Amino acid sequence: MNSNAVVQPRSFGQGEQRAVSGRGAVSQDRVIFPITSLSPYQNRWCIRARVTQKSVVKTWCNKRGDGRLFSVDLADESGEIRATAFNAESHCGFPFKVYLIQGGTIKVANRQFTSIDNDYELTFSPETRVEPCFDENVCDLPEVSFHLTKIKEIGEISRDRLIDVIGVVVMIGPIESKIARSTLKELKKRDVLLVDDSGVSITLSLWEAEVHKSVYEQILNCHCFRQKISTVK
DNA sequence: CCCCCCCC
């Protein structure tokens, strides 16, 4: 995969302006749609959103093909949406700032891979345009928002949903070495015990690079964790 | 179009 092939989405042209329809916020001559109003049936929209999370650029190779992708979580006053850019649209220099984003495909989100509370997600296309937003009121836009699940309620949530948990690390296990059954690869594993104000504890398993994250070593400090549910013991 | 997340 050649990183030189990475292309920035086109910015709005200088003289290119949209007619203002008379309702909704307006930013840099664009009518702004709330993130929660986006759906597959809505094809003319522009959102004004803050980047609250971003992934590393990931490459994949499987029987369906290969490529690279990058995803960001976007938030405005109405809510959040996950956005993914593939191949030519993927670019890694997306700082945690506010952008006007227009164009792309809205599809049904897979809740297995995001805790964002939105039925849809956005896929960047060659038509997607991204422009830094310079409005004064962008400071009103939310930063990361967690949708917290109480540890006591984790058992009631369907398997394989990604959830947010806030808790205290009360016990840290040793770093262990395991052999993956499928690949026979050696894996580092560490269990920590997490407790919250619902009075219940749960084991949080850390793998590989996660094992070394110092955030888990601060016993009795409070942190937010965005984790996937697997087997509940 | 990713979407793997492993061990006991």
Side-chain angles (χ1 to χ4, degrees):
Chain A
M1 206 64 47
N2 184 353
S3 62
N4 293 329
V6 173
V7 171
Q8 292 280 346
R10 281 180 298 154
S11 292
F12 293 97
Q14 276 293 351
E16 191 175 347
Q17 296 185 354
R18 286 195 182 286
V20 174
S21 73
R23 65 183 193 85
V26 177
S27 191
Q28 287 159 234
D29 298 316
R30 250 77 60 190
V31 176
I32 303 304
F33 288 67
I35 281 176
T36 50
S37 76
L38 300 186
S39 80
Y41 318 103
Q42 177 83 55
N43 56 12
R44 284 243 163 245
W45 50 264
C46 180
I47 57 170
R48 178 176 56 195
R50 185 186 302 283
V51 174
T52 58
Q53 299 262 17
K54 53 183 176 177
S55 76
V56 295
V57 174
K58 196 165 77 173
T59 59
W60 83 90
C61 182
N62 58 30
K63 58 260 170 210
R64 292 189 294 276
D66 59 69
R68 51 181 281 144
L69 70 94
F70 170 66
S71 67
V72 290
D73 291 349
L74 303 169
D76 71 6
E77 298 89 338
S78 74
E80 291 176 282
I81 193 165
R82 158 73 51 90
T84 306
F86 290 94
N87 301 318
E89 282 78 58
S90 70
H91 60 293
C92 48
F94 234 134
F96 290 97
K97 288 186 175 153
V98 177
Y99 299 91
L100 299 181
I101 299 169
Q102 176 185 334
T105 308
I106 308 290
K107 60 175 189 176
V108 174
N110 189 337
R111 301 290 188 106
Q112 190 176 346
F113 303 107
T114 177
S115 62
I116 281 184
D117 185 22
N118 195 323
D119 290 337
Y120 304 114
E121 60 189 40
L122 165 63
T123 302
F124 284 36
S125 72
E127 287 72 45
T128 300
R129 297 179 181 193
V130 177
E131 177 183 32
C133 180
F134 303 111
D135 276 10
E136 293 167 16
N137 54 349
V138 295
C139 56
D140 295 337
L141 294 183
E143 307 287 341
V144 184
S145 69
F146 290 94
H147 305 98
L148 297 174
T149 296
K150 297 288 186 196
I151 292 175
K152 196 164 86 176
E153 286 152 12
I154 287 178
E156 294 151 31
I157 298 195
S158 62
R159 285 280 188 95
D160 293 330
R161 283 252 335 217
L162 199 95
I163 59 159
D164 298 334
V165 171
I166 189 166
V168 175
V169 177
V170 292
M171 209 158 66
I172 303 174
I175 297 175
E176 297 170 75
S177 184
K178 302 283 181 185
I179 305 295
R181 207 180 307 152
S182 53
T183 62
L184 300 182
K185 218 179 72 179
E186 189 180 328
L187 301 166
K188 285 180 183 165
K189 179 180 188 276
R190 163 178 268 170
D191 286 346
V192 301
L193 193 65
L194 206 56
V195 177
D196 72 4
D197 58 5
S198 68
V200 174
S201 68
I202 193 166
T203 299
L204 173 64
S205 294
L206 309 174
W207 293 91
E208 296 288 84
E210 298 281 326
V211 155
H212 301 295
K213 282 194 179 166
S214 60
V215 64
Y216 298 108
E217 289 169 1
Q218 296 162 21
I219 297 186
L220 301 180
N221 277 343
C222 201
H223 298 286
C224 276
F225 300 93
R226 180 158 280 176
Q227 292 294 151
K228 180 181 176 179
I229 303 175
S230 55
T231 309
V232 177
K233 294 180 185 174

